[in-house]
Structures are given as structure tokens and as C-alpha cells.
């Protein structure tokens, strides 16, 4: 088939199919987010226009926002479908680097197609081209190397034949999943080649379920059967494998208490007798207490990031760590007994090995006891009070008004701690996206646009602070224009409150975080009218000043977003210094002259550096 390189790429995208967790066949690449300009408008843009009925193209306002929307799409579909984003060369391409970092840190697949300078170099230097005096092959797209799982610059049309299978391998492999970047010089996009028809035959991509090594499985079985106080930690890998029901059944059969990581949240019904809560700094005191007492931790599908492990102080020094992970890179960390394999397959096989063994009933029962104490604390924090609501009260109202098919999101600032630590899940299909691998301010709105496109059957709600809103809000208009409804709750507390908390909590001076502590030449600096701004971007807007008013506004926003098929924004003033605290430690660099240094010196020795294999 004689096609341009761009036409061949689009035809291949259309031919790729995917199997969802419930066995349905869907497009692997369901949508393209595009801003066309110098470098992609005539090649890739023309090819996409020709196939517009088969692969829709959605126009964003910023390249970063579009790519973040693609990331949110992948998360909402549990990595079964992949968003595509394309940009022009130069600044358009560089704008997507942050989103690639989000996808890379969170192991989420996204396909980025930045335009590139001419492979033939005849018109060099072209508009938006940076030149490296000693290396002419370098372009701005080389910035993607640090944040891509697979990178290729297509300098001849026929190179697509060999690179596309490798690109889809990375995008669909649980062990490798992450961003793929195919840099497309604009002259190459327009070049024609006789491509083999077989390249465009539809292919259905299914989850690779790697089985564990039998010897590693046997060692893990012995470790588990000899443990007196085992703890099961469920991470994002459990979600992407669809292993939630299997792991919970395993815990029930053997009486093992269960905790979740940030990426694994909402896998377990909150009221389950074995559930001790979410683990770590943004988690719960109940889960952290169980972790401190456990003599064995079975961590399934998690990297055990520092917020999950409280900078590796949440576990007892003598704990035994067994990890189940699709990626050997993650499984072998921290001296763990590594079992490499798919979460669903590995837990099933481990269950067959463990047999009828059960945990001491006293340890099993402890999960519900410690969680009840944490629940009582959350109930107290959520209780309505007069005046400006706290984050906990806002999250509580959203939680109470949300149903089992709804989807909730956040990414940065103080809201991850409130959402992860305080949310009470109905269980079943995972229903939360807390982007805390990269903690990217601005993901909350763009990611919600992608999630709203992907999530079927419920309302998507994203919660963000005023700082995140000001950092990236353009995709509110994209979603409003395209007709993708979600609810955005904007919590206005006058600045970067959670960073001010960190700064002042360690003895630092209040500086450059709250607006009151920032430099200005005005006696009365201007304030942002978030409601007016959101309305100007085409959103339905509600405001609230207390807890009761917020509940009413949020309920109305849910209905309005669905009825009018566009985002509804609820703007609420929130307390700047009221937080839910799980009591865990986080290692940050504290100068010796600050008061927080004594606490640092006290906690640092309890940090587990390497566990026994």
C-alpha cells in the first residue's frame, strides 16, 4: 500500500485493538489530542483528517494539557486504552515533556508524536529549531529521553515497520508500561513508501500474564507460612492486572490484614473486616500501626515509594519483605524476596501453594480494631462546623454524595492526604486517581478531561487547590467545548498551603507560599475571581462558603455537568491550616539551624535501608 509515513502511522493506530478487564474488545488508541502547527499540520494532520471517522481528534489549548489528558485516559481505563498526543516542533514538543514525566513516574502508557526538524536538513535552521554546534542530530525532542520508556526518531518512512511493534510492546506490557515517543521530522511524514498490507491487519492486544518462577514462589510460600503477623499491601499493579477480587479472596482465606498504597486505593471496600486503611504519609494511622507490627509484608504490584513507606520508617526493622511485581526492576528493591509475575496469576498460584494455613485470629481481628479508631478520627474531622470548611469536610461531602460508579481525582498539594487517607470506598471497580508519583500541579483538570472521556457510567470529580488551578486551567475550555462533563472542586486557601505547612513545620519562616507572605508592590493585592474565570472558560459555576452550602453546590454541580454535558466548577474557600495527619515521617533536607532538625535526627536512625533477603 503506497502511503505517506503519516498515513501509515494513522492506519496502524486504527488497526490496533485492546481487550478490557471484562473481556470487551475496544480500540487500543481511542482518541488523539492535537494542536497542529509547524511540523505536524500537513503530514500527520492531513492523515488524521482522512481517518477522522475512525479515530477522533480532540483539540486542546496546551500541549502539556493534552498529553496529561491522555495520561488520565490511560489511568481511567486501567491501562487498557492509550491516548495519543501530537504537537508541532520546538515549544509544542517541549510542552509535552512534563506530561511524559507524569506517565513515566506512574507507569502509565501514552503515545506522544512530536513534530521534528527536517531529516534532509536542506532548510536548516528552520523556525523553532535549536542548534547544537557540535551535534547536528540533536533537537528539542531529545529532551524526552529522560522521560520515555521507548524513543525513536523516524528518519525514513520504512522505519515504522520495525519500530511500531516495539512501541506497542512497551505500551501494553505491564512490566514496561510508560510513555512512547516517536519524533516525526516533517519531511519524513510526507514521504511515501510501499508498506506491506499486513502491517494494517487488526490486532487485539491482551494483558501479558507472566507466571512466577517456581523456586521463588516456593520461597515466598515458606516465608508466608512461617509468619505470625503478615500484612498484605495492594498497589497499582493489582488494579492494572484486575487482581483486586483475587487478592482479597486470598486475604480472606488466610485471614491476612490488608492495606492499600496510593495507586491501589479503592480496591478494597472500606468496611471490609480485613481492611486496615491506606498506608503511608498520606494514608492512615491505622495502616501504619499494622505495618509497624507486621513481621512479614507481602507487597503486590507496588514500587513502595517513599510516601507509601514513610521514607522507609513505617516498617519494623526486622520485617521480612516479599514483593510480587511484573517488573523485576521493582521486585528486587530493598533486599526483598522477589517474585516476578503478573499479580493475578501470581496470587492465584501462591494461594495454591499456601494451602489451608491461616493467621492467628487475634492478628486478623486487629485490622478492624485499628481502622475503627482511624474512622472515628475522620468522622470528627468531617463533622460540619460553622464557617470556612476544611479539606476533610469538603472531601467528606464529596464522598457521601458519590456513588460506586463515580470516579474521583487529585494530584498535588494537601488534597492527596485528605483523599487517600479519608476516602471510604464502596469497593469493586477502582474509582480513584491520585497522581502522586509525580505530583504534578495542573494534572487535576487536564487529567479529568481524559478521565471523563474514558469513564462510563458515573460522574468524574476532580479536587484541586487554587495553586493548581492557576498553574493549568486551559483544558477546562477544551472539555467544555468538546462536551465532556466532570465536576471540578476548586479549594481556595490563599496560596501553596501544604508547602507552607512543610516550611513552617520544620522551623522555617513563612515565605513565598501564602499570598500574605509573598512580595508585592500593592497595599491591597488583587484576588483571583475563580468563579468568573471558570465561567469565562465555558463552565457551569457554583460557589460555597460553608460546609452545608458546599454540599448543596456540589450536588447541583453533579447534576448540571451531566445535564449540560460540560464541566461544572465548584469554588469553595477552605481553611489554610487544617489537615488530616497520619502521623508518619517524611525525609526532607532540614538545615541544622532550623528547629525541625532535632526531629530529623531522631527519626533518621529508624529508617530501614536494606531488608534481609
Amino acid at each position: 500500500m503506497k502511503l505517506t509515513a503519516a498515513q501509515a502511522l494513522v492506519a496502524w493506530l486504527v488497526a490496533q485493538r485492546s481487550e478490557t478487564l471484562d473481556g470487551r474488545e475496544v480500540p487500543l488508541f481511542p482518541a488523539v489530542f492535537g494542536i497542529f502547527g509547524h511540523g505536524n499540520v500537513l503530514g500527520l494532520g492531513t492523515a488524521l483528517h482522512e481517518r477522522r471517522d475512525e479515530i477522533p481528534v480532540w483539540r486542546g489549548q496546551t500541549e502539556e494539557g493534552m498529553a496529561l489528558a491522555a495520561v488520565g485516559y490511560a489511568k481511567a481505563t486501567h491501562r487498557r486504552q492509550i491516548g495519543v498526543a501530537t504537537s508541532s516542533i520546538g515549544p509544542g514538543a517541549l510542552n509535552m515533556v512534563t506530561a511524559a514525566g507524569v506517565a513515566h513516574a506512574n507507569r502509565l502508557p501514552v503515545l506522544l508524536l512530536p513534530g521534528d526538524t527536517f531529516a534532509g536538513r536542506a532548510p536548516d535552521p528552520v523556525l523553532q529549531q535549536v542548534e547544537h554546534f557540535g551535534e547536528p542530530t540533536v533537537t528539542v525532542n531529545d529532551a524526552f529521553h529522560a522521560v520515555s520508556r521507548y524513543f525513536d526518531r523516524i528518519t525514513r518512512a520504512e522505519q515504522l515497520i520495525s519500530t511500531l511493534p516495539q512501541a506497542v510492546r512497551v505500551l501494553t506490557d505491564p512490566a514496561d508500561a510508560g510513555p512512547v515517543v516517536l519524533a516525526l521530522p516533517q519531511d519524513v511524514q510526507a514521504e511515501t513508501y510501499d508498506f506491506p498490507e499486513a502491517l494494517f491487519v487488526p490486532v487485539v492486544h491482551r494483558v501479558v500474564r507472566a507466571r512466577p518462577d517456581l523456586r521463588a514462589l516456593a520461597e515466598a510460600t515458606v516465608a508466608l507460612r512461617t509468619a505470625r503477623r503478615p500484612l498484605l499491601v495492594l498497589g497499582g499493579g493489582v488494579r492494572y492486572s484486575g487482581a483486586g477480587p483475587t487478592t482479597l479472596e486470598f486475604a480472606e482465606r488466610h485471614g491476612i490484614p490488608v492495606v492499600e498504597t496510593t495507586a491501589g486505593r479503592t480496591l478494597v471496600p472500606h468496611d471490609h473486616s480485613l481492611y486496615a486503611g491506606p498506608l503511608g504519609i498520606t494514608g492512615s494511622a491505622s495502616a501504619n500501626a499494622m505495618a509497624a507490627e507486621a513481621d512479614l509484608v507481602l507487597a503486590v504490584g507496588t514500587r513502595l515509594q517513599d510516601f507509601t513507606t514513610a521514607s522507609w520508617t513505617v516498617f519494623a526493622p526486622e520485617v521480612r519483605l516479599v514483593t510480587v511485581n511484573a517488573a523485576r526492576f521493582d521486585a528486587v528493591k530493598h533486599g526483598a524476596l522477589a517474585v516476578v509475575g503478573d499479580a493475578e496469576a501470581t496470587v492465584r498460584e501462591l494461594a495454591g501453594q499456601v494451602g489451608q494455613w491461616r493467621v492467628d485470629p487475634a492478628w486478623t481481628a486487629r485490622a478492624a480494631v485499628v481502622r475503627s479508631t482511624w474512622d472515628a478520627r475522620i468522622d470528627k474531622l468531617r463533622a460540619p462546623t460553622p464557617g470556612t470548611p476544611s479539606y476533610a469536610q469538603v472531601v467528606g461531602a464529596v464522598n457521601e454524595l458519590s456513588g460506586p460508579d463515580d470516579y474521583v481525582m487529585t494530584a498535588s498539594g494537601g488534597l492527596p492526604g485528605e483523599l487517600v487517607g479519608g476516602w471510604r470506598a464502596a469497593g469493586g471497580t477502582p474509582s480513584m486517581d491520585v497522581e502522586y508519583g509525580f505530583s504534578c500541579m495542573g494534572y487535576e483538570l487536564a487529567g479529568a478531561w481524559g478521565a471523563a472521556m474514558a469513564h462510563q457510567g458515573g460522574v468524574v470529580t476532580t479536587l484541586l487547590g487554587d495553586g493548581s488551578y492557576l498553574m493549568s486551567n486551559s483544558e477546562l475550555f477544551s472539555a467544555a467545548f468538546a462536551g465532556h462533563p466532570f465536576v471540578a472542586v476548586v479549594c481556595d486557601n490563599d496560596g501553596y498551603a501544604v508547602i507552607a505547612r512543610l516550611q513552617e513545620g520544620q522551623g522555617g519562616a513563612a515565605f513565598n507560599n501564602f499570598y500574605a507572605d509573598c512580595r508585592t508592590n500593592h497595599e491591597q493585592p488583587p484576588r483571583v475571581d475563580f468563579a468568573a474565570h471558570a465561567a469565562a472558560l465555558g463552565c457551569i459555576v457554583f460557589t460555597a462558603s460553608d460546609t452545608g452550602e458546599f454540599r448543596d453546590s456540589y450536588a447541583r454541580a453533579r447534576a448540571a455537568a451531566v445535564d449540560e454535558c460540560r464541566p461544572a466548577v465548584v469554588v469553595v474557600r477552605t481553611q489554610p491550616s487544617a489537615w488530616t495527619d497520619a502521623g508518619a515521617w517524611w525525609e526532607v533536607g532540614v538545615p541544622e539551624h532550623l528547629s525541625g532538625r532535632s526531629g530529623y535526627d531522631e527519626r533518621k536512625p529508624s529508617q530501614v535501608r536494606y531488608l534481609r533477603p
Side-chain angles (χ1 to χ4, degrees):
M1 300 175 64
K2 191 168 186 177
L3 302 169
T4 66
Q7 288 174 322
L9 175 56
V10 173
W12 179 84
L13 291 174
V14 170
Q16 307 310 300
R17 310 289 292 173
S18 177
E19 185 178 84
T20 63
L21 284 172
D22 58 5
R24 292 179 296 113
E25 185 180 313
V26 294
L28 179 63
F29 301 103
V32 176
F33 298 89
I35 293 177
F36 297 118
H38 169 49
N40 69 342
V41 63
L42 295 177
L44 191 57
T46 299
L48 286 166
H49 177 263
E50 293 167 350
R51 307 294 292 264
R52 62 191 180 279
D53 293 335
E54 299 165 278
I55 183 166
V57 176
W58 301 100
R59 198 201 111 162
Q61 311 310 309
T62 69
E63 293 84 1
E64 178 184 346
M66 294 190 310
L68 288 174
V71 175
Y73 198 112
K75 183 67 175 282
T77 59
H78 315 303
R79 299 198 305 204
R80 295 307 189 276
Q81 291 183 283
I82 299 161
V84 183
T86 180
S87 75
S88 62
I89 67 175
L94 284 177
N95 282 346
M96 296 196 296
V97 172
T98 297
V102 171
H104 196 285
N106 291 282
R107 314 293 172 85
L108 291 169
V110 62
L111 177 59
L112 303 180
L113 304 175
D116 212 325
T117 54
F118 283 80
R121 301 188 196 170
D124 284 8
V126 297
L127 179 67
Q128 299 179 324
Q129 179 178 351
V130 297
E131 295 181 278
H132 289 256
F133 297 171
E135 196 171 352
T137 61
V138 171
T139 75
V140 296
N141 286 337
D142 287 281
F144 283 104
H145 281 292
V147 287
S148 59
R149 290 283 185 189
Y150 184 85
F151 177 94
D152 195 5
R153 179 176 283 110
I154 308 302
T155 57
R156 293 175 61 95
E158 60 264 38
Q159 290 172 350
L160 288 173
I161 299 170
S162 62
T163 204
L164 291 177
Q166 297 300 328
V168 79
R169 168 189 63 81
V170 171
L171 291 168
T172 60
D173 189 337
D176 289 344
V180 167
V181 179
L182 300 181
L184 303 172
Q186 61 175 304
D187 50 345
V188 177
Q189 292 178 45
E191 290 178 359
T192 57
Y193 183 76
D194 288 324
F195 289 92
E197 293 185 13
L199 184 64
F200 312 114
V201 173
V203 176
V204 179
H205 300 274
R206 297 179 174 86
V207 176
V208 176
R209 297 200 180 277
R211 264 50 183 179
D213 177 77
L214 293 179
R215 289 171 296 185
L217 194 68
E219 290 178 19
T221 300
V222 171
L224 192 59
R225 288 178 63 90
T226 55
R228 294 183 299 113
R229 299 181 304 279
L231 184 66
L232 181 58
V233 180
L234 305 186
V238 175
R239 170 182 182 160
Y240 302 131
S241 174
T246 297
T247 52
L248 192 55
E249 180 185 343
F250 176 80
E252 291 168 343
R253 181 181 303 169
H254 304 292
I256 307 173
V258 181
V259 300
E260 296 171 324
T261 71
T262 297
R265 276 301 263 124
T266 68
L267 284 164
V268 183
H270 179 78
D271 59 0
H272 196 286
S273 61
L274 292 175
Y275 185 55
L279 186 65
I281 297 165
T282 53
S284 61
S286 53
N288 294 342
M290 294 293 287
E293 297 174 25
D295 62 354
L296 180 137
V297 169
L298 175 59
V300 183
T302 171
R303 299 179 294 152
L304 294 174
Q305 180 236 31
D306 73 328
F307 258 67
T308 298
T309 63
S311 297
W312 285 93
T313 61
V314 77
F315 301 126
E318 68 277 5
V319 73
R320 188 82 186 275
L321 178 61
V322 179
T323 56
V324 175
N325 211 295
R328 181 171 293 277
F329 177 88
D330 294 315
V332 303
K333 291 175 179 174
H334 302 286
L337 196 168
V339 184
V340 180
D342 169 72
E344 166 82 10
T346 302
V347 171
R348 283 191 181 278
E349 295 195 19
L350 185 60
Q353 297 284 330
V354 172
Q356 300 303 310
W357 165 83
R358 283 189 65 84
V359 175
D360 182 342
W363 175 247
T364 301
R366 181 150 172 71
V369 173
V370 295
R371 199 196 71 237
S372 67
T373 302
W374 178 253
D375 285 350
R377 186 190 303 182
I378 296 298
D379 286 340
K380 185 175 181 180
L381 292 172
R382 285 184 172 186
T385 54
T388 304
S390 66
Y391 272 7
Q393 290 168 328
V394 168
V395 169
V398 172
N399 198 171
E400 291 167 13
L401 292 170
S402 295
D405 295 327
D406 293 339
Y407 193 79
V408 65
M409 306 174 64
T410 194
S412 60
L415 281 163
E418 308 298 328
L419 205 58
V420 174
W423 192 263
R424 293 170 179 174
T429 303
S431 56
M432 181 182 291
D433 175 6
V434 175
E435 193 289 287
Y436 223 46
F438 218 49
S439 186
C440 179
M441 295 180 71
Y443 175 77
E444 297 95 336
L445 294 175
W449 179 28
M453 295 173 64
H455 189 71
Q456 303 297 320
V459 174
V460 173
T461 297
T462 185
L463 296 97
L464 68 157
D466 51 307
S468 277
Y469 183 96
L470 288 174
M471 193 165 286
S472 182
N473 51 60
S474 301
E475 305 318 327
L476 277 174
F477 175 70
S478 300
F481 180 85
H484 295 125
F486 60 86
V487 179
V489 176
V490 180
C491 298
D492 181 5
N493 56 18
D494 274 344
Y496 302 140
V498 75
I499 299 301
R501 174 196 183 196
L502 174 64
Q503 183 181 55
E504 296 176 59
Q506 299 297 324
F511 178 63
N512 207 48
N513 286 306
F514 284 120
Y515 293 130
D517 303 318
C518 297
R519 182 171 183 148
T520 177
N521 291 325
H522 299 282
E523 289 186 10
Q524 292 186 325
R527 286 192 56 84
V528 178
D529 189 336
F530 293 101
H533 187 270
L537 292 176
C539 301
I540 314 156
V541 178
F542 302 86
T543 59
S545 58
D546 59 40
T547 306
E549 199 171 53
F550 174 75
R551 285 181 63 90
D552 178 66
S553 293
Y554 176 65
R556 293 166 60 202
R558 289 171 56 90
V562 175
D563 289 345
E564 299 193 28
C565 209
R566 56 190 172 119
V569 175
V570 182
V571 180
V572 55
R573 291 282 292 172
T574 50
Q575 296 178 26
S577 56
W579 309 100
T580 301
D581 190 353
W585 182 65
W586 183 34
E587 181 175 1
V588 293
V590 183
E592 290 188 358
H593 66 279
L594 294 184
S595 62
R597 180 65 188 212
S598 60
Y600 176 93
D601 292 336
E602 179 183 344
R603 299 296 295 270
K604 178 68 175 175
S606 65
Q607 191 173 52
V608 177
R609 294 300 304 277
Y610 196 80
L611 300 168
R612 55 191 174 125

